[in-house]
Amino acid sequence: MPKVYNWQIGREMNYWYEQNRPKRQASAVFDTNKCIACQTCTAACKTTWTSGKGQEYMYWNNVETKPWGSYPMGWDAKVLEALGPQRWVKKGERYIYEGKTIFEAAPTTERVLGYLPNDLDYAYPNRGEDETDQPLIQEKFYLRLPHDLWFFYLPRICNHCTYPACLASCPRMAIYKRNEDGIVLIDQERCRAYRECVQACPYKKVFYNHVTRISEKCVMCYPAVEKGIWPRCMRTCIGKIRMFGFLNTPDKADPENPLDFLVHIRKVALPLLPQLGLEPNIYYIPPIHVSNNRFLHMLFGPYALQALESYKKAMNGEDMELVGALLLNVSTDRIMTKFKVLEGKEVVGYTENGHEAVRIPIKEPTIVRPFFDEGLKVYRHNIT
Amino acid sequence: MSEKELQKKKERKKLSLPIFIALAAVASISLTFFIKRLQEKPKVKPEADIIAAKVEKVPFNDPFSPLWEKVPSYSIPLTQQATVKPMKFTTPKDPLKVKAVHDGEWIAFLLEWNDTSPDIHTIKTKEFRDACAVLLTNYPAPPEAWFMGTKDYPATILHWKADWQMDIDEGFQDLEKAFPNLSIDMYPPMKEAIVRGKPPPTKDLPEEARAWMVGWKSGNPLSLPDKKSPVEKLIGIGPGSLTPLPTQDASGKGIWKVGVWRVVLSKKMKGSDSKEGEINLLSEKMYSVAFTLWSGHEGDRGSRKNPSMLKTLYIE
Ligand code: SF4
Ligand code: SF4
């Protein structure tokens, strides 16, 4: 198997094909701290792409509640268990992954380590939301939760991976990664329903259509992206948790590119399960209130706490540039490739051709009105 | 010597001349024939693993035609697929039984194998079909041609699928077959059309609702609800290159009875897509052939299969 470089695990790894990075890579950052599980993103995707007969069970975008929820059921636990020990070793400032990726752990007969979900696994897309894993415990005067008091929402779409397992697993080469934007697509004319991709994708983001009897996956709204517009799940996000754009590799990071700034410069956003080895291109700002650091480490890799430190600085007003970058989330539906924070007061986002796409005040102007209005002779409940 | 004896001797002499002439003539004709036979190629059948017997009419859609009982049966061992990943290491216990006939216009193969559980659906994510295939290419094919042909030896493949057979025999095996309690509010843009949550049959969906059924819209043969034949005719020039041929005129039928699949796969001997590389088959000629089985409940599909080695096929 050829060797490719995966910067997320800090080392070379085996992959089915030679390294062939696209000209640029469509990518996004999701701030888990702001997601309210409203599922607007899910509905936006569903009505756009998966409303047909045979697609009923499919959610190319889903939002699951961690730690109990997962769609399809147990996808993460199953793949992590099959993978075996996942050890990271610190060398200087960097962590190197010393465990195996799903390509390296593949059994002799396979290209990738994977499994095929059952139909019932897809039947509980919202399991775990505001639920416990066991019944509440009855104490003398109150009910107690059977586990730690934290959970968070994890919105998930296809990661349009740099080293897609779906693409590697297809013996017909019916899956391709576009050179112009790195979007991973299934050729609907060439697919012959082997479902190798459904089996191989550890994130379980390829689905089998029960009626057309071939496989389908998230297309990152490529017709919109080609026009410089954000995908639908991103631009409809109520919680404004999402930032869409193009991401460079760390050695070519451009501090003015909002995605590079968040991922490579401030290192506030991290890949989901980097140890699997796919170099996924959706990045997450980890939740700040999760008390179990080992859980965060498992889900987002060894830089999870560092990312939180960075995030907290912005929350405390110590990093206005980061505050500015985060304010660009869902502030426009046009793809921005540059941003600037002007005198700590405004953040401006620019499209690829240099046009100003959006301008936002860093601090919203606040007017405090008197509690008692002399003119109207009334008291105010809301004075700001 | 008496006069009588002299007379007899004269008569014997008169008789022996024509006998001699007659014998000489016979001998010379025989010799000419013999020499001619020596110059001609002897008309014996070349040694072949399978002989496609000449019949009056090929039973191309009838695996139980009495005609099949009159032609020889060949036992073809199946092997593992350990060349291209994903692989299949296990092999079926029994060899595949193959028969072949032709009538100058059509050639048909009868494949027969034991299978206690027929897999006839591909609706659910983990459902895989039983299937079988015949690969044909020119003789003598290089060993690489075994892997779905090569550029110089394109493989014409006849692929029978149990789920397509069901679609033809019983009508399109729709979503409701696998999920009988299915209930749905709407399929845009036809929100008015769904009565009491029961969706219309896929075949009756209006054109606008097919916008979401991209496989069907793009003409992928696997996605078409209206199947014409259970046998697909494909061309291959190496692993991963399998492509359906433009003229889908292969025919056949598979029937599962008491633990045995009997499947006929047939094609026209003169390839209708020879420009695209489809093989033309002629009488009294030798070809290379291979057979493959996929067992649905073992998760077989694509390269997870049990092929035979390349065999020789002589067409009478
Ligand atoms: S997330 Fe899965 S489907 Fe998407 S590119 Fe990666 S491997 Fe393929
Ligand atoms: S729309 Fe945004 S806030 Fe709502 S669930 Fe989706 S990602 Fe979360």
Side-chain angles (χ1 to χ4, degrees):
Chain A
M1 265 206 255
K3 290 255 181 245
V4 294
Y5 185 72
N6 180 334
W7 65 263
Q8 293 178 355
I9 59 170
R11 67 165 170 91
E12 279 196 328
M13 60 164 208
N14 295 336
Y15 185 61
W16 191 255
Y17 296 107
E18 298 286 344
Q19 181 157 316
N20 184 18
R21 286 181 183 273
K23 255 202 299 207
R24 60 181 181 177
Q25 177 62 57
S27 183
V29 167
F30 293 1
D31 184 351
T32 60
N33 295 291
K34 292 167 74 185
C35 178
I36 52 168
C38 64
Q39 307 279 6
T40 310
C41 47
T42 309
C45 177
K46 189 87 194 137
T47 50
T48 309
W49 298 108
T50 62
S51 311
K53 197 174 176 189
Q55 296 179 309
E56 293 79 356
Y57 81 102
M58 277 184 211
Y59 293 102
W60 292 357
N61 181 111
N62 79 291
V63 184
E64 57 199 45
T65 310
K66 289 287 171 219
W68 311 118
S70 50
Y71 165 83
M73 183 92 86
W75 67 271
D76 42 359
K78 280 181 191 158
V79 71
L80 292 175
E81 206 172 324
L83 194 59
Q86 296 137 46
R87 214 157 70 93
W88 294 83
V89 174
K90 198 167 187 194
K91 288 196 179 146
E93 284 306 291
R94 300 209 26 83
Y95 285 93
I96 314 288
Y97 177 57
E98 289 206 336
K100 282 183 176 170
T101 66
I102 58 165
F103 305 108
E104 294 159 346
T108 339
T109 55
E110 309 293 318
R111 298 182 180 194
V112 178
L113 172 78
Y115 81 97
L116 262 179
N118 282 310
D119 287 288
L120 268 184
D121 292 341
Y122 293 104
Y124 312 96
N126 212 23
R127 181 188 174 267
E129 189 187 339
D130 306 338
E131 288 171 341
T132 56
D133 67 330
Q134 293 152 37
L136 296 177
I137 299 162
Q138 176 75 60
E139 296 289 356
K140 200 168 177 189
F141 299 116
Y142 61 94
L143 290 170
R144 188 163 59 83
L145 282 171
H147 52 69
D148 286 355
L149 218 154
W150 60 264
F151 65 85
F152 66 97
Y153 303 123
L154 187 73
R156 298 202 303 115
I157 64 167
C158 162
N159 292 288
H160 297 272
C161 309
T162 305
Y163 304 115
C166 57
L167 184 151
S169 70
C170 177
R172 280 184 64 66
M173 291 159 276
I175 303 185
Y176 58 104
K177 188 167 174 68
R178 308 204 312 176
N179 191 35
E180 61 268 41
D181 49 23
I183 293 176
V184 177
L185 298 175
I186 302 178
D187 184 336
Q188 292 286 288
E189 281 177 37
R190 278 190 59 73
C191 174
R192 282 186 75 80
Y194 299 157
R195 285 157 270 176
E196 297 293 351
C197 50
V198 182
Q199 183 168 320
C201 170
Y203 303 100
K204 295 296 165 241
K205 282 297 173 189
V206 189
F207 301 87
Y208 180 63
N209 185 313
H210 298 311
V211 173
T212 63
R213 301 186 193 157
I214 55 170
S215 300
E216 297 177 349
K217 66 178 285 300
C218 157
V219 295
M220 193 71 116
C221 293
Y222 71 86
V225 174
E226 283 170 7
K227 293 196 175 102
I229 305 285
W230 286 30
R232 295 202 69 175
C233 61
M234 314 252 183
R235 71 181 121 126
T236 53
C237 176
I238 300 292
K240 292 197 171 199
I241 82 151
R242 301 190 180 204
M243 176 70 209
F244 180 78
F246 297 104
L247 182 81
N248 293 305
T249 45
D251 52 314
K252 296 196 185 102
D254 168 8
E256 291 195 331
N257 171 333
L259 266 286
D260 281 358
F261 181 79
L262 294 170
V263 174
H264 298 312
I265 308 296
R266 288 301 192 265
K267 299 185 187 349
V268 72
L270 300 168
L272 182 63
L273 299 175
Q275 64 270 43
L276 304 179
L278 287 75
E279 219 191 274
N281 287 301
I282 304 295
Y283 293 82
Y284 292 88
I285 301 179
I288 47 172
H289 60 286
V290 170
S291 52
N292 187 334
N293 291 342
R294 290 171 69 202
F295 187 80
L296 294 182
H297 183 292
M298 178 190 81
L299 220 53
F300 303 112
Y303 299 102
L305 295 186
Q306 224 170 291
L308 287 181
E309 287 312 309
S310 200
Y311 189 67
K312 280 179 192 159
K313 270 192 197 151
M315 296 302 102
N316 296 338
E318 293 160 25
D319 185 350
M320 294 323 278
E321 218 181 344
L322 182 53
V323 172
L326 291 169
L327 280 174
L328 293 175
N329 283 3
V330 204
S331 56
T332 168
D333 63 2
R334 279 182 289 164
I335 300 174
M336 293 168 277
T337 52
K338 291 240 181 271
F339 84 106
K340 269 194 189 109
V341 174
L342 304 177
E343 293 160 10
K345 287 195 183 121
E346 281 178 326
V347 59
V348 189
Y350 303 93
T351 61
E352 196 167 24
N353 48 24
H355 290 157
E356 186 177 312
V358 70
R359 182 179 287 256
I360 312 161
I362 298 276
K363 216 167 172 212
E364 256 186 69
T366 313
I367 297 161
V368 182
R369 294 181 294 176
F371 178 47
F372 182 72
D373 191 312
E374 284 291 347
L376 297 171
K377 300 275 182 253
V378 290
Y379 289 96
R380 286 200 172 87
H381 292 283
N382 187 350
I383 57 166
T384 53
Chain B
M1 198 181 276
S2 68
E3 205 171 317
K4 241 185 182 175
E5 280 173 328
L6 262 174
Q7 188 62 30
K8 268 188 186 169
K9 207 177 175 182
K10 269 184 194 168
E11 277 172 8
R12 250 185 262 138
K13 248 189 178 173
K14 264 191 211 163
L15 256 178
S16 60
L17 189 68
I19 287 171
F20 174 76
I21 294 169
L23 280 174
V26 168
S28 81
I29 290 166
S30 306
L31 192 68
T32 321
F33 270 131
F34 180 67
I35 292 167
K36 226 175 158 192
R37 284 292 294 266
L38 277 182
Q39 286 166 347
E40 268 180 5
K41 277 188 187 152
K43 266 198 181 156
V44 288
K45 284 174 197 165
E47 289 238 333
D49 299 314
I50 297 142
I51 293 170
K54 174 101 202 240
V55 295
E56 204 165 299
K57 187 132 187 59
V58 154
F60 48 68
N61 283 333
D62 186 1
F64 286 94
S65 160
L67 196 142
W68 291 114
E69 303 311 317
K70 295 183 190 139
V71 294
S73 173
Y74 303 93
S75 198
I76 307 288
L78 298 173
T79 173
Q80 48 181 229
Q81 195 290 104
T83 315
V84 181
K85 281 187 184 181
M87 299 169 175
K88 187 187 179 194
F89 279 175
T90 54
T91 47
K93 255 199 347 263
D94 307 314
L96 177 71
K97 281 189 210 151
V98 176
K99 294 180 181 186
V101 292
H102 82 100
D103 59 14
E105 198 191 343
W106 284 82
I107 187 162
F109 299 87
L110 178 74
L111 272 53
E112 197 181 307
W113 71 97
N114 296 334
D115 187 346
T116 45
S117 57
D119 302 292
I120 49 175
H121 285 126
T122 47
I123 308 170
K124 293 184 172 185
T125 305
K126 281 181 102 166
E127 278 177 340
F128 297 98
R129 65 172 83 90
D130 288 336
C132 63
V134 179
L135 175 152
L136 291 157
T137 189
N138 283 322
Y139 174 81
E144 318 84 82
W146 185 55
F147 313 114
M148 324 271 272
T150 67
K151 273 213 173 83
D152 299 330
Y153 284 81
T156 302
I157 292 162
L158 305 177
H159 191 264
W160 173 87
K161 303 168 187 64
D163 58 329
W164 285 26
Q165 188 70 62
M166 283 297 285
D167 286 344
I168 288 168
D169 295 350
E170 294 187 3
F172 180 66
Q173 301 295 291
D174 223 324
L175 188 61
E176 298 82 339
K177 190 91 195 175
F179 305 100
N181 298 325
L182 167 87
S183 176
I184 189 95
D185 299 330
M186 61 176 284
Y187 292 120
M190 40 177 296
K191 59 182 161 210
E192 250 61 81
I194 297 177
V195 187
R196 283 188 292 277
K198 292 290 160 212
T202 295
K203 276 158 99 170
D204 301 343
L205 285 171
E207 184 63 33
E208 319 87 77
R210 292 185 207 167
W212 280 269
M213 310 176 87
V214 187
W216 186 7
K217 264 246 150 181
S218 64
N220 188 322
L222 282 110
S223 306
L224 307 179
D226 195 12
K227 307 275 189 327
K228 301 279 185 278
S229 164
V231 180
E232 201 182 5
K233 194 177 78 179
L234 304 124
I235 193 89
I237 50 164
S241 66
L242 200 62
T243 309
L245 281 162
T247 318
Q248 284 302 318
D249 54 1
S251 190
K253 186 170 177 76
I255 296 175
W256 184 88
K257 251 191 205 170
V258 283
V260 178
W261 270 118
R262 265 176 98 115
V263 180
V264 181
L265 304 98
S266 49
K267 81 178 272 310
K268 284 184 177 155
M269 292 180 60
K270 189 171 161 32
S272 32
D273 292 318
S274 41
K275 266 197 217 136
E276 278 79 13
E278 184 186 348
I279 197 158
N280 279 316
L281 300 169
L282 299 171
S283 295
E284 297 179 13
K285 281 225 144 194
M286 187 78 99
Y287 296 92
S288 294
V289 68
F291 305 92
T292 303
L293 286 192
W294 288 264
S295 169
H297 61 272
E298 289 176 54
D300 287 4
R301 71 275 196 186
S303 59
R304 300 176 197 267
K305 60 185 178 182
N306 291 116
S308 75
M309 301 311 287
L310 265 188
K311 300 280 167 190
T312 49
L313 166 76
Y314 180 73
I315 302 183
E316 262 187 4

